Amino acid sequence: MKRYIMEHTYSIEAGNYAVAGEASSSIKGLLKKLGIDGGIVRRMAIAAYEAEMNLVIHSVGGSLTIKIAPDELLLISEDGGPGIADIDLAMEEGYSTAPEEAREMGFGAGMGLSNMKRCADEFNIHSDAGIGTKLQIKIYLK
Amino acid sequence: MNILDVVECVEGNLLTSTQNTDREILYGYSCDLLSHVMANARSNCVWVTVQTHLNIVAVASLLDISCIVVPESIEVEETTLQKAEEEKISIIASKLTAFEICGRLYDMGVKPCK
Ligand SMILES: Nc1ncnc2c1ncn2[C@@H]1O[C@H](COP(=O)(O)OP(=O)(O)O)[C@@H](O)[C@H]1O
Ligand SMILES: [Mg+2]
């Protein structure tokens, strides 16, 4: 079992664009304060933001958790549905089911999951249609 | 160039208070799709977008973007400006089109983000 020296969970509300991004900003601030390398902070900030926005736009609500170990950062996104029926399709750049209101705001480019994967050293996604989605993004510190 | 140079170059108005004028702006990026910005914008760049809602400040702040230029005199929401003030992101309004803003910045030596 990996020993994490710090852990923080943020609850993310569906459809609340007014506070969207605050969890990611808080995670970024936390990592910066710990003196973590700027390039790594940036990668985690991008991944956290894309995960947070997916919870806001696509899920019924969920949580974002950051865990910090001496040698790695782990971001976990979990939600209570609706789940993703076809993950390979969802991972394709440009594929998006974002509603019109989100698209008007510039969301829904269909690049969120691929942005997360690109920023991660390890990327894991598990989803059960009707139940929920769990995402894990690991970034090595060493 | 710094933020005040950008204001002058795009014949803009600074909608936020003057800050970060010491930050050197070397790069520029223009897109209205936020995941493209997350993927491509570099830190300390100028970002040209027609989006004016609150979330652009979160994007800029997460990426350490120095300033946002809004083209075609599009009005920026008060809540966006307040948040930008808090996050120390400058927002500039310009009457020029995004195309001309980018062209002028490019001519002044601002480089693409990639
Ligand atoms: N947490 C989630 N719950 C349900 N569906 C999701 C979730 N995250 C992503 N998706 C699905 O995967 C698609 C692609 O996601 P993404 O690459 O982030 O692009 P975008 O958010 O721009 O649509 C979404 O349009 C949506 O259909
Ligand atoms: Mg997304």
Side-chain angles (χ1 to χ4, degrees):
Chain A
M1 266 299 271
K2 168 78 56 191
R3 257 198 71 235
Y4 292 96
I5 53 171
M6 196 183 270
E7 180 174 333
H8 206 74
T9 296
Y10 305 82
S11 153
I12 312 294
E13 203 186 323
N16 191 347
Y17 291 93
V19 299
E22 283 185 3
S24 312
S25 295
S26 168
I27 289 171
K28 183 191 173 193
L30 187 70
L31 300 181
K32 254 170 82 176
K33 263 190 221 134
L34 289 170
I36 289 166
D37 169 78
I40 287 176
V41 173
R42 184 184 165 85
R43 280 161 63 204
M44 187 49 93
I46 293 170
Y49 184 74
E50 293 288 8
E52 183 175 358
M53 289 319 305
N54 279 359
L55 291 172
V56 172
I57 298 168
H58 306 296
S59 89
V60 298
S63 65
L64 212 54
T65 299
I66 180 78
K67 295 187 181 197
I68 300 158
D71 59 350
E72 72 176 42
L73 304 176
L74 177 63
L75 180 81
I76 302 168
S77 163
E78 277 178 293
D79 64 58
I84 303 171
D86 186 341
I87 289 181
D88 289 339
L89 183 61
M91 290 295 303
E92 269 180 31
E93 289 200 355
Y95 175 81
S96 176
T97 60
E100 192 50 38
E101 53 154 8
R103 287 177 196 267
E104 276 171 10
M105 295 172 80
F107 298 108
M111 290 198 10
L113 291 171
S114 54
N115 274 353
M116 289 179 228
K117 192 172 178 187
R118 189 177 42 82
C119 288
D121 287 312
E122 289 178 36
F123 175 81
N124 237 295
I125 178 166
H126 183 86
S127 191
D128 291 305
I131 297 173
T133 301
K134 181 169 179 175
L135 241 144
Q136 289 187 295
I137 288 154
K138 203 177 273 186
I139 298 180
Y140 307 144
L141 294 175
K142 287 175 182 157
Chain B
M1 66 183 353
N2 67 24
I3 283 157
L4 297 178
D5 298 327
V6 174
V7 174
E8 191 179 308
C9 176
V10 304
E11 295 176 39
N13 295 316
L14 191 55
L15 303 181
T16 48
S17 56
T18 313
Q19 46 201 1
N20 297 327
T21 46
D22 53 328
R23 270 165 97 168
E24 184 73 13
I25 295 168
L26 298 173
Y27 301 97
Y29 188 72
S30 177
C31 190
D32 305 316
L33 297 178
L34 304 183
S35 281
H36 283 259
V37 182
M38 290 311 285
N40 298 313
R42 297 178 62 144
S43 54
N44 289 317
C45 76
V46 43
W47 172 27
V48 183
T49 180
V50 297
Q51 301 289 355
T52 57
H53 54 78
L54 200 53
N55 295 261
I56 61 171
V57 180
V59 168
S61 166
L62 284 165
L63 296 175
D64 296 315
I65 287 172
S66 308
C67 74
I68 300 170
V69 181
V70 178
E72 300 186 34
S73 301
I74 296 169
E75 202 176 316
V76 180
E77 285 93 315
E78 193 54 42
T79 48
T80 304
L81 296 177
Q82 273 168 20
K83 188 81 183 165
E85 210 68 68
E86 275 170 39
E87 298 286 332
K88 296 192 172 24
I89 309 285
S90 299
I91 301 190
I92 299 165
S94 168
K95 62 180 190 305
L96 307 177
T97 64
F99 179 80
E100 185 160 9
I101 290 166
C102 294
R104 288 195 186 191
L105 289 168
Y106 193 92
D107 277 348
M108 291 294 287
V110 176
K111 296 269 178 298
C113 276
K114 270 193 177 165

